[in-house]
Amino acid sequence: METAVAVRQDAQVINYEDYAMTPDRIVKQVGLIQEVMKCVMREGEHYGKIPGCGDKPTLLKPGAEKLSTTFRLAPSYLVTEKSLPAGHREYQVICTLTHIPTGVIFGQGVGAASTMESKYRYRKQERVCPKCGKETIIKGKAEYGGGYICFAKKGGCGAKFKEDDKAITDQIVGRVEYEDPADYYNTILKMAKKRAHVDATLTCTAASDIFTQDVEDLPSHLLKREPAPPVDVPKQEAPQDTPQDEPDDIPVEFRDEPKEEIPLISEPQRKRLFAISKKAGWPNDDLKQYLQERYGISHTSEIPKAKYEEICTWVESHTGWGG
């Protein structure tokens, strides 16, 4: 039995080599990205290194926008919404980048976000002062009699409570779920959109060897902490008859243990956050209250770098604390 192969007379053979970029053009494209990174982008605003995640910087939303503008790529989005139990929701987004001068589709990226993610599902519940209603209760050390105090240095009223006071001990503390997942629908939609755009930008500009993505969105417990390099410091012994005093602004019996230093945002990042909040219509008092109640932060200079983009996205998608 013979097998015949039919060939269409009007069929065209496509030589993909005719459309391929030359090594010289690829080198120029990489050079252009590096030049934009050097002359236009700023570390901490357009890209940044996340502690414990290697030397490759992660591309942030403003950086993706700069690269899209550089290569004249316009994003469009296809959003899929998925309802989850208990009022939770997930958004899946496909971002398509189209070359503005020619209308040619360069590629796509994907991203997803859900209110089931720990940072949108849970919050840290602290003990609340029965008198002033603020989450400013701290515990005294046993050697000083124990008990609890509403710490004035954290904005509390200074009230003191006994060790077995049920108004304090019966409170539920630790990780608790947010009451209404719907408060974060708009936030996770913007987060999914951001993730898809960054993914598409890296794919279409072939910049994955320069940047990584979404590392800043990882929960803090998944970030590997890199030990600080050892520093040789001459050891100095304190005089035997002079005790080493702790700072005077906190009562001795309520002093906290030393905490590991966490990288904080830069001054340009603070200014960007204020610009975002102003554009979204946030009063300054609302921004202060949001940072205090959500993160226990009393000043914008205390914002950790790992939480910066999350905070900017939330502020940008709301009209105020509770808005």
Side-chain angles (χ1 to χ4, degrees):
M1 178 178 179
E2 296 183 357
T3 302
V5 178
V7 179
R8 293 178 54 186
Q9 296 298 322
D10 58 347
Q12 296 182 357
V13 176
I14 299 177
N15 185 359
Y16 289 100
E17 293 180 0
D18 294 340
Y19 297 90
M21 293 178 64
T22 64
D24 182 60
R25 291 191 62 185
I26 293 176
V27 170
K28 288 183 179 179
Q29 177 170 316
V30 174
L32 176 59
I33 296 174
Q34 293 174 335
E35 189 68 17
V36 170
M37 187 176 176
K38 177 181 177 181
C39 299
V40 181
M41 295 184 177
R42 292 187 294 273
E43 185 173 2
E45 181 176 350
H46 300 96
Y47 63 91
K49 293 182 180 179
I50 307 301
C53 295
D55 295 329
K56 186 185 292 188
T58 183
L59 184 63
L60 305 176
K61 179 175 181 287
E65 292 170 349
K66 284 289 185 293
L67 289 181
S68 294
T69 300
T70 299
F71 290 96
R72 305 296 306 278
L73 301 175
S76 58
Y77 303 92
L78 175 63
V79 180
T80 302
E81 176 186 310
K82 182 180 180 181
S83 296
L84 302 175
H88 287 280
R89 182 175 294 180
E90 179 185 71
Y91 288 106
Q92 298 177 354
V93 177
I94 298 175
C95 174
T96 301
L97 291 182
T98 303
H99 191 228
I100 297 174
T102 63
V104 174
I105 294 177
F106 264 44
Q108 294 180 322
V110 296
S114 166
T115 54
M116 292 291 283
E117 294 179 35
S118 59
K119 59 188 173 185
Y120 303 122
R121 183 179 182 182
Y122 299 105
R123 63 184 177 88
K124 185 179 180 182
Q125 177 66 55
E126 304 284 359
R127 285 191 170 91
V128 177
C129 176
K131 293 189 176 181
C132 68
K134 296 182 178 179
E135 295 182 350
T136 49
I137 295 294
I138 61 175
K139 194 177 187 304
K141 294 182 178 179
E143 59 265 34
Y144 294 99
Y148 298 89
I149 186 173
C150 185
F151 197 30
K153 288 289 185 178
K154 295 175 65 175
C157 63
K160 295 183 179 180
F161 305 90
K162 294 182 179 180
E163 185 81 24
D164 58 352
D165 193 327
K166 291 187 177 297
I168 300 293
T169 59
D170 285 355
Q171 293 186 31
I172 298 175
V173 296
R175 194 169 79 159
V176 298
E177 291 197 27
Y178 284 107
E179 290 78 8
D180 193 351
D183 290 342
Y184 297 98
Y185 286 172
N186 193 44
T187 301
I188 63 168
L189 174 58
K190 287 183 175 291
M191 185 61 70
K193 174 186 172 186
K194 186 264 302 187
R195 291 170 177 172
H197 187 202
V198 171
D199 183 38
T201 301
L202 291 175
T203 300
C204 294
T205 62
S208 295
D209 58 337
I210 301 174
F211 300 104
T212 184
Q213 71 173 116
D214 295 338
V215 175
E216 77 279 10
D217 296 333
L218 288 174
S220 57
H221 66 277
L222 295 181
L223 296 176
K224 297 180 181 178
R225 298 192 178 275
E226 297 175 343
V231 179
D232 293 330
V233 180
K235 184 177 180 180
Q236 297 180 350
E237 295 184 359
Q240 296 298 320
D241 57 346
T242 305
Q244 292 181 321
D245 295 330
E246 295 190 45
D248 295 330
D249 58 342
I250 301 178
V252 175
E253 63 268 31
F254 297 110
R255 287 175 191 162
D256 296 329
E257 297 296 327
K259 296 181 179 179
E260 181 180 0
E261 289 190 8
I262 299 175
L264 304 178
I265 64 172
S266 63
E267 185 64 22
Q269 287 177 304
R270 289 183 62 222
K271 292 180 179 179
R272 174 176 172 248
L273 175 58
F274 280 117
I276 290 174
S277 65
K278 183 177 180 181
K279 184 177 180 180
W282 280 64
N284 287 339
D285 288 344
D286 272 22
L287 181 60
K288 182 177 180 180
Q289 184 180 0
Y290 161 65
L291 293 174
Q292 178 65 49
E293 294 185 8
R294 178 79 184 275
Y295 299 96
I297 296 172
S298 58
H299 195 272
T300 52
S301 62
E302 301 172 1
I303 297 175
K305 284 186 176 181
K307 293 292 182 183
Y308 178 66
E309 283 300 323
E310 173 186 330
I311 291 172
C312 288
T313 300
W314 205 96
V315 170
E316 187 178 26
S317 61
H318 291 74
T319 58
W321 181 225

